[in-house]
């Protein structure tokens, strides 16, 4: 898993799973805490995520909301989008086309 970008846009690639969750959480919290406005997560390079990785995304979403920001998921791979729909998280998270 790798995350690159600044406080306004992050590109997430690789696998977001139990092994990478701590590093991802830290990077996302730093980005949320240090910026203003929307935080865009470009997920086009994300190969897979597990429940822990999804929990990291949801935690960042809640943290952003508490700070008056919005977490926006962009270029969600189709397989992962289906998971969000099945879990009805597409109603909670902001997903850009």
């Amino acid at each position: 898993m790798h995350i690159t970008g600044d406080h306004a846009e992050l590109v997430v690639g690789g696998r977001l799973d139990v092994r990478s969750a701590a590093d991802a959480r830290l990077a996302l919290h730093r980005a949320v805490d240090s910026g203003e406005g929307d935080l865009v997560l470009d997920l086009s390079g994300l190969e897979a995520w597990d429940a822990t990785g999804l929990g990291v995304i949801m935690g960042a979403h809640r943290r952003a909301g508490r700070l008056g920001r919005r977490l926006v998921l962009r270029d969600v791979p189709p397989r992962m989008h289906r998971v969000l729909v099945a879990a009805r998280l597409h109603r909670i998270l902001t997903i850009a086309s």
Side-chain angles (χ1 to χ4, degrees):
M1 189 271 321
H2 58 277
I3 297 178
T4 57
D6 59 23
H7 61 272
E9 181 174 338
L10 297 175
V11 178
V12 182
R15 299 178 61 88
L16 184 54
D17 56 18
V18 69
R19 287 178 288 243
S20 61
D23 292 335
R25 187 177 295 109
L26 182 62
L28 290 173
H29 286 186
R30 283 182 181 162
V32 168
D33 294 346
S34 66
E36 297 178 4
D38 290 351
L39 173 60
V40 178
L41 292 185
D42 181 335
L43 301 180
S44 60
L46 192 61
E47 297 166 10
W49 63 20
D50 65 6
T52 305
L54 187 53
V56 169
I57 298 286
M58 292 305 298
H61 165 76
R62 285 189 300 274
R63 187 178 190 106
R66 284 192 304 267
L67 295 173
R69 298 186 72 187
R70 190 172 67 144
L71 185 71
V72 178
L73 306 182
R74 184 175 69 202
D75 294 330
V76 179
R79 190 173 82 220
M80 291 170 215
H81 191 270
R82 286 191 294 274
V83 170
L84 294 174
V85 171
R88 296 188 177 182
L89 294 175
H90 69 293
R91 295 178 178 185
I92 297 168
L93 297 167
T94 303
I95 303 172
S97 303

